[in-house]
């Protein structure tokens, strides 16, 4: 059936990369929030300016790897997206 839909992605089912050649959604990092074992990355998607949040488990190798203003790619796994009819 045709009609409007809402696309839903759980924040922990997405990942980030700074590789501009990666097959993902282009976005700009607005802020990051440390929340214990995880960091929440608040992004703005290019093209429509929609907000997007990625939650990543903290690892010492990742500390400080992304900064506000960075151009990143949001990577989505094969089963990370759900489409809901409005």
């Amino acid at each position: 059936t045709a009609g409007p839909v809402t696309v839903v992605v759980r924040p922990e089912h997405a990942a980030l990369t700074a590789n501009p050649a990666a097959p993902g959604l282009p976005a700009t990092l607005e802020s990051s929030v440390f929340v214990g074992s995880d960091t929440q990355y608040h992004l703005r998607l290019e093209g429509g300016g929609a907000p997007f949040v990625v939650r990543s488990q903290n690892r010492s190798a990742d500390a400080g790897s992304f900064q506000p203003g960075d151009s990143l790619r949001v990577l989505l796994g094969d089963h990370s997206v759900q489409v809901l009819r409005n």
Side-chain angles (χ1 to χ4, degrees):
T1 60
V5 298
T6 299
V7 177
V8 180
V9 178
R10 292 186 56 98
E12 66 274 15
H13 291 172
L16 293 174
T17 182
N19 179 352
L25 302 171
T28 301
L29 180 63
E30 292 187 327
S31 66
S32 58
V33 180
F34 177 78
V35 286
S37 63
D38 297 339
T39 297
Q40 292 179 353
Y41 295 98
H42 297 262
L43 303 120
R44 183 75 46 190
L45 297 178
E46 289 183 17
F52 199 97
V53 176
V54 173
R55 190 179 94 195
S56 179
Q57 187 172 15
N58 293 326
R59 297 179 302 216
S60 59
D62 295 335
S65 57
F66 302 129
Q67 302 298 318
D70 283 355
S71 293
L72 302 172
R73 294 276 182 171
V74 178
L75 306 174
L76 303 173
D78 291 340
H79 302 287
S80 62
V81 175
Q82 294 183 20
V83 178
L84 308 173
R85 286 187 284 187
N86 290 351

